[in-house]
Amino acid sequence: MQRRVLLRIMMAAVLGSCGIKEQSAKGLKITVVGAGIVGASIAWHLARAGALVTIIDAIGPASHASRGTFAWINASWAKQPRHYHALSQEGVSGWGSLQEELSLPIRWGGSLEWFSNPERDRKLLDQIAEQVDWGESARMVNADELAVMEPNVNFHGALLAAFSGNDGAIDPVRATNALLDAAVNMGAVLRTPCKLLDISLSGNRLHSVETSLGTIPADRVVLATGADPATPKIIAGVDVPQRSTPGIIAITAPMPKLLNRIIVASGIHLHQREDGRIVMGEQDGAPDDQAHDMRLEGRPNTFPSPDMAVQHAARMLSIATKYVPGMAGVNVDDVFIGWRPLPLDGHPVLGFSPERRDVYLAIMHSGVTLAPIAGQLTAHEVINDIVVERLEAFRPGRDFETVKRY
Ligand SMILES: Cc1cc2nc3c(=O)[nH]c(=O)nc-3n(C[C@H](O)[C@H](O)[C@H](O)COP(=O)(O)OP(=O)(O)OC[C@H]3O[C@@H](n4cnc5c(N)ncnc54)[C@H](O)[C@@H]3O)c2cc1C
């Protein structure tokens, strides 16, 4: 049996065992704050279960990380330790189910990764062996295979690369909007621009949320507010320590098909979407100097001038062209600075606030990969007021250690 089919069956079993009871959702008023890909998935799962959902966003759908993301769906070697990797696997297989249900344009086909650094590439061999042990369809492929798999890519003499067969990539803005549309079709209300300002209690239970568009009655509120550090602190009384880092995403004009898979090369990540556009994600962060520190203050999503955006696009395109010569001369249509919602330990934050019992937090990196499973499990906990055991390691009240990983 193919691995993806097996994963789908496992996913169906997980969904079945969750058994969201529509009865318990009936009449339950839930406000989801944040219309990025995570909030959209949560809203859709809640609406599908029968809750009365209002989604609000201070700016609009997919306006922050869910726009400026590379959108690689994966459970790769970097997803450590095992329990986080397992959650990521559930995210990957969850996209398979969502793709069918919502007709989403996901490019499957796997990823190819290598480091152009002999020592690092040797370590990759061990990491891929571990991936196999953990149930991934991963293997090392040699130069001859690489040439067949990606005839338009120059691997610069790499003898081996890691092929992770389950990986895919998505258009995150389309996916977010598709989830929101599906939620609205099930009765959810989407209100933007609408900023959450405060909550009102009746006794010790949530009564309503106060927003820039007025009061919204609510029994529960879910904060899917991404990298914004303030909202969880003010509303949930929880300080989720984040080390949000910026990353530039540049998207070309549509091109004839050049790439079959996600290319994870030294200095640049690339994938080609169904619409023919190639997405470039830079690997190195901004230089560590005062000029950049000043420019990045306030976490801008755009560059101070169009010229600067053009310069960054040209720099990324010149790296990309080294690997994919056919990209030479293509126009870059969009350049965006994304800020990673990145809890200090690199792991998602999922669970009710230890301080405010009706306020649930859903803040995470790799939120594109995790959106389906995060949406499903959040809806389950929020509606049924129960505890999903395998989320225990990801609670907001944990001690956050500093780890350098995404
Ligand atoms: C450069 C980059 C590359 C990435 N690459 C990948 C990848 O390849 N694979 C992967 O899985 N993940 C990747 N990620 C991470 C992923 O994009 C994020 O984890 C995901 O988009 C988070 O989605 P979200 O909905 O939680 O947050 P966001 O998309 O940031 O949405 C949060 C929303 O909350 C709203 N908000 C905040 N506060 C309030 C308030 N008080 N009131 C109302 N609204 C509010 C904001 O307006 C925003 O729209 C990447 C991220 C970046 C930046």
Side-chain angles (χ1 to χ4, degrees), residues 34 36-38 57-58 63-66 68-69 72 196 228 231 364 366-367 369:
I37 202 160
V38 172
D57 196 290
S63 53
H64 284 78
S66 301
T69 175
W72 172 17
L196 176 70
D228 167 27
T231 304
M364 65 204 75
S366 291
T369 300

Side-chain angles (χ1 to χ4, degrees), residues 192-277:
T192 70
C194 178
K195 190 172 164 64
L196 176 70
L197 303 172
D198 208 346
I199 53 172
S200 298
L201 303 178
S202 171
N204 67 347
R205 302 294 325 222
L206 186 68
H207 174 267
S208 53
V209 296
E210 307 303 329
T211 77
S212 54
L213 294 181
T215 300
I216 301 172
D219 302 307
R220 313 255 200 283
V221 59
V222 178
L223 302 181
T225 46
D228 167 27
T231 304
K233 209 182 281 182
I234 296 165
I235 305 295
V238 177
D239 188 9
V240 174
Q242 294 201 40
R243 52 180 174 91
S244 296
T245 52
I248 303 173
I249 298 296
I251 303 179
T252 71
M255 302 193 76
K257 193 163 182 187
L258 285 173
L259 299 176
N260 299 317
R261 293 168 184 80
I262 297 144
I263 303 297
V264 187
S266 176
I268 199 104
H269 293 178
L270 302 166
H271 70 81
Q272 189 164 19
R273 296 194 321 213
E274 295 241 306
D275 60 10
R277 295 180 188 278

